[in-house]
Amino acid sequence: MNTTMRLFILVAGLMFLAACSTLRGTGDMGVVIERASGSVQIIETSHQTRLGRIEGLGDLSHASVVYSRDERYAYVFGRDGGLTRIDILASRIDKRLLQSGNSIGGAISQDGSLVAVSNYTPGGIKVFDAETLELVADIPATYGRDRLRSKVVGLVDAPDQRFVFSLYDAGEIWIADFSMGRHPHITRFKQVGRQPYDGLITPDGRYYLAGLFGEDGLALLDLWHEEKGVRKILADYGRGSKKMPVYKMPHLEGWAMTEDYAFLPEVGRHEVLVVNRHNWKKVTSIPVYGQPVFVMARPDGRQIWVNYAFPDNDTVQVIDTEKLKVVQQLKPGKAVLHMEFTPRGEQVWISARDSNRVTVYDTFDFHEIKVLPADKPSGIFFTSRAHRIGL
Amino acid sequence: MASRFILLPGLFLLLLGQPVFAGELPQQRQNELRDLLLQDCGSCHGMTLKGGLGPALTPDVIATRSRDMVRTTIEQGRSGTPMPPWKNILDNDDINWLVDTLYKGSALQ
């Protein structure tokens, strides 16, 4: 064997060894948004460690994340209109662009080929190729005779290659249907209620619900029967006649569903509303510590975890879904912003912005498993979202 | 309260030679309010105050509004919008500081 050959075998062998030691799956990985520094941490939940940190993502206040279906790429939607595709295995930015002046969130299509971003300014959604981030469709949210542009909120993916979203200023819900290719068919539902501020899709992908800030009740769209239009449900849901100030808008993405009930944050009141999810009628309301922001079910539906708006944002409570009452109260730090469950729910990760830390709790006995430092952490997003409708 | 009186002579010496404003806030409170403005107000108005669900609060926008209007909005909120009243949470000095800071655009510096 000549020297070149020997060298070749040696290098190939080394490369093989290097690959062996670094190969890993991504199913236990996730990202933590560090909102003030425009960075994200890459973490894993099996041993609760930090694997890397990526900087240079712009204004990440209210940032959110969706995942490619192979759970390798995270799409980060920044407040400044930044759309960044991160390779979480290589811990680096893969592609990044500024697609608008002011955006609020995004979604990935059923087949993983399209990424949509909802924008405040200029109001509308933009849809990009998930691989290249090339613009596929620009859908301005125009309304009324003056062709004004509305802020867009509550953007979700729906089965059959659709995106559904709400127009805050127009009081409309739109469906952008990409099932026929890259030229969407738009369906508009007008006068669904005043100031829809967020929306969600049920985990089965059938119902889209929009919360209304400007009036009571919720707008419900049955995506199996678009022809029936949008109807109002829970006429008493909302701020009621004695309008309470709301110090942080509730988030609907996390609305918790169990087999029989949906658990919703009351708007302005210190209550979590329990609704029968078969007829959408109120069952009861559970008194809680503050104005709820996120109301999230553990994946098995046995517990509901709730965090609160300023000034009660140092507390998290746990509701037992059988007893329908609070069974645990925790203090994860100052300004608790988000909670994320591991795929089967044995851990929950909770960010406390002003305490600069993420606390990992055991959801069975509520003990602290670990505390991880982070720079003003907000949203926490695990890769298991890749395979859930609406996330 | 006792500690405040003990501190006063020292504070007075510190402030000699500097303009003294009525109701000047302690540095720690200013830091808390800056955090509140960027982080909590920022959840609707954007962390860089360039707007979101709520309007932009950058100095060029604020300059087009009267001081009374800005102050009243923070104190009482704005009906018909999600802007809540802050008068039960912030006192007069806090609100004055916020109004000044918005006009100066100094929160982001």
Side-chain angles (χ1 to χ4, degrees):
Chain A
M1 232 189 295
N2 64 30
T3 325
T4 322
M5 195 66 182
R6 264 191 220 149
L7 197 64
F8 176 76
I9 289 169
L10 183 70
V11 169
L14 280 173
M15 282 171 71
F16 178 70
L17 278 176
C20 283
S21 61
T22 56
L23 269 182
R24 65 159 297 146
T26 56
D28 62 350
M29 290 174 66
V31 303
V32 175
I33 305 287
E34 296 180 311
R35 56 185 261 150
S37 50
S39 52
V40 300
Q41 283 188 17
I42 296 168
I43 55 84
E44 57 82 31
T45 57
S46 296
H47 309 95
Q48 303 93 36
T49 60
R50 293 186 290 166
L51 300 173
R53 190 158 184 270
I54 301 174
E55 295 179 337
L57 302 181
D59 179 354
L60 294 184
S61 55
H62 211 289
S64 61
V65 171
V66 299
Y67 285 96
S68 63
R69 60 197 286 157
D70 64 5
E71 298 188 0
R72 175 167 180 177
Y73 297 98
Y75 299 87
V76 183
F77 308 100
R79 187 48 163 282
D80 54 5
L83 167 60
T84 314
R85 183 171 129 122
I86 286 172
D87 182 342
I88 60 169
L89 277 179
S91 209
R92 64 178 177 85
I93 292 175
D94 180 58
K95 289 187 177 66
R96 172 172 165 79
L97 59 98
L98 278 174
Q99 55 81 40
S100 82
N102 199 321
S103 82
I104 190 62
I108 189 161
S109 64
Q110 181 179 37
D111 69 354
S113 71
L114 301 170
V115 169
V117 190
S118 63
N119 291 319
Y120 281 160
T121 325
I125 73 165
K126 283 188 179 174
V127 180
F128 298 89
D129 183 295
E131 289 276 337
T132 63
L133 297 193
E134 276 163 30
L135 186 66
V136 170
D138 186 354
I139 305 170
T142 49
Y143 70 102
R145 264 181 307 183
D146 299 331
R147 311 285 292 160
L148 297 172
R149 305 262 309 241
S150 171
K151 298 182 185 95
V152 171
V153 298
L155 168 66
V156 300
D157 65 282
D160 302 326
Q161 202 67 355
R162 290 177 288 179
F163 292 112
V164 189
F165 49 96
S166 298
L167 279 63
Y168 175 79
D169 306 290
E172 298 183 5
I173 293 174
W174 290 16
I175 298 173
D177 181 344
F178 284 83
S179 61
M180 305 296 283
R182 300 201 149 195
H183 298 284
H185 178 260
I186 310 287
T187 308
R188 301 170 186 205
F189 299 90
K190 295 183 176 176
Q191 294 181 322
V192 303
R194 284 203 305 275
Q195 294 170 322
Y197 62 89
D198 201 2
L200 89 145
I201 189 165
T202 49
D204 59 9
R206 175 163 182 181
Y207 297 101
Y208 180 82
L209 292 120
L212 303 171
F213 193 82
E215 62 185 85
D216 286 346
L218 287 165
L220 174 79
L221 175 60
D222 181 349
L223 294 166
W224 288 13
H225 294 285
E226 283 180 32
E227 75 284 356
K228 289 184 181 165
V230 174
R231 66 187 171 104
K232 281 279 284 288
I233 56 164
L234 287 168
D236 297 333
Y237 176 73
R239 294 195 296 158
S241 51
K242 191 170 162 247
K243 295 214 184 314
M244 304 289 283
V246 177
Y247 289 99
K248 185 174 169 67
M249 302 293 267
H251 279 59
L252 304 190
E253 173 199 293
W255 274 11
M257 306 271 172
T258 62
E259 201 178 327
D260 297 319
Y261 304 130
F263 294 78
L264 321 182
E266 277 284 14
V267 186
R269 274 174 281 175
H270 294 193
E271 289 171 13
V272 168
L273 179 67
V274 187
V275 174
N276 178 322
R277 62 176 286 190
H278 305 294
N279 62 16
W280 300 108
K281 297 249 190 287
K282 175 175 173 173
V283 176
T284 185
S285 53
I286 302 168
V288 290
Y289 187 77
Q291 295 182 354
V293 176
F294 279 104
V295 173
M296 305 184 88
R298 199 172 71 170
D300 64 341
R302 182 69 201 274
Q303 297 170 349
I304 303 290
W305 289 59
V306 190
N307 75 323
Y308 301 103
F310 183 90
D312 299 316
N313 50 357
D314 63 340
T315 299
V316 165
Q317 287 181 314
V318 184
I319 292 168
D320 180 307
T321 56
E322 208 171 39
K323 298 179 183 134
L324 296 182
K325 62 182 189 191
V326 172
V327 292
Q328 187 70 30
Q329 180 164 315
L330 302 163
K331 299 275 182 189
K334 285 199 283 185
V336 171
L337 289 189
H338 200 214
M339 304 172 284
E340 179 85 337
F341 292 96
T342 46
R344 299 193 187 191
E346 83 289 353
Q347 294 168 24
V348 63
W349 289 47
I350 300 180
S351 59
R353 182 192 71 206
D354 293 349
S355 298
N356 292 305
R357 66 179 183 234
V358 172
T359 308
V360 184
Y361 289 99
D362 183 312
T363 63
F364 175 70
D365 62 11
F366 308 108
H367 84 273
E368 256 182 46
I369 298 171
K370 205 165 240 177
V371 176
L372 297 167
D375 187 9
K376 300 254 181 240
S378 55
I380 304 172
F381 303 90
F382 294 159
T383 52
S384 48
R385 288 172 173 254
H387 300 143
R388 291 176 59 193
I389 294 166
L391 294 184
Chain B
M1 273 303 119
S3 61
R4 181 174 285 184
F5 288 108
I6 295 162
L7 278 171
L8 268 176
L11 254 179
F12 182 71
L13 286 174
L14 264 176
L15 292 171
L16 276 179
Q18 298 179 28
V20 179
F21 299 102
E24 177 90 330
L25 287 176
Q27 191 58 46
Q28 194 198 331
R29 186 59 183 160
Q30 294 188 33
N31 293 344
E32 286 168 8
L33 289 172
R34 184 175 290 112
D35 256 15
L36 179 89
L37 181 60
L38 298 183
Q39 304 287 340
D40 293 288
C41 304
S43 64
C44 275
H45 297 283
M47 208 168 58
T48 52
L49 304 181
K50 287 179 188 157
L53 199 63
L57 302 179
T58 42
D60 54 314
V61 175
I62 291 289
T64 66
R65 302 278 186 268
S66 75
R67 208 183 151 83
D68 258 6
M69 192 264 187
V70 175
R71 199 192 157 78
T72 309
T73 302
I74 298 173
E75 273 178 358
Q76 298 174 18
R78 288 193 79 179
S79 65
T81 79
M83 178 68 185
W86 291 87
K87 61 176 187 289
N88 295 332
I89 289 169
L90 303 173
D91 67 22
N92 269 330
D93 291 346
D94 291 340
I95 294 176
N96 279 333
W97 186 89
L98 285 170
V99 174
D100 287 343
T101 301
L102 287 172
Y103 274 97
K104 285 187 282 191
S106 52
L108 290 161
Q109 288 158 14

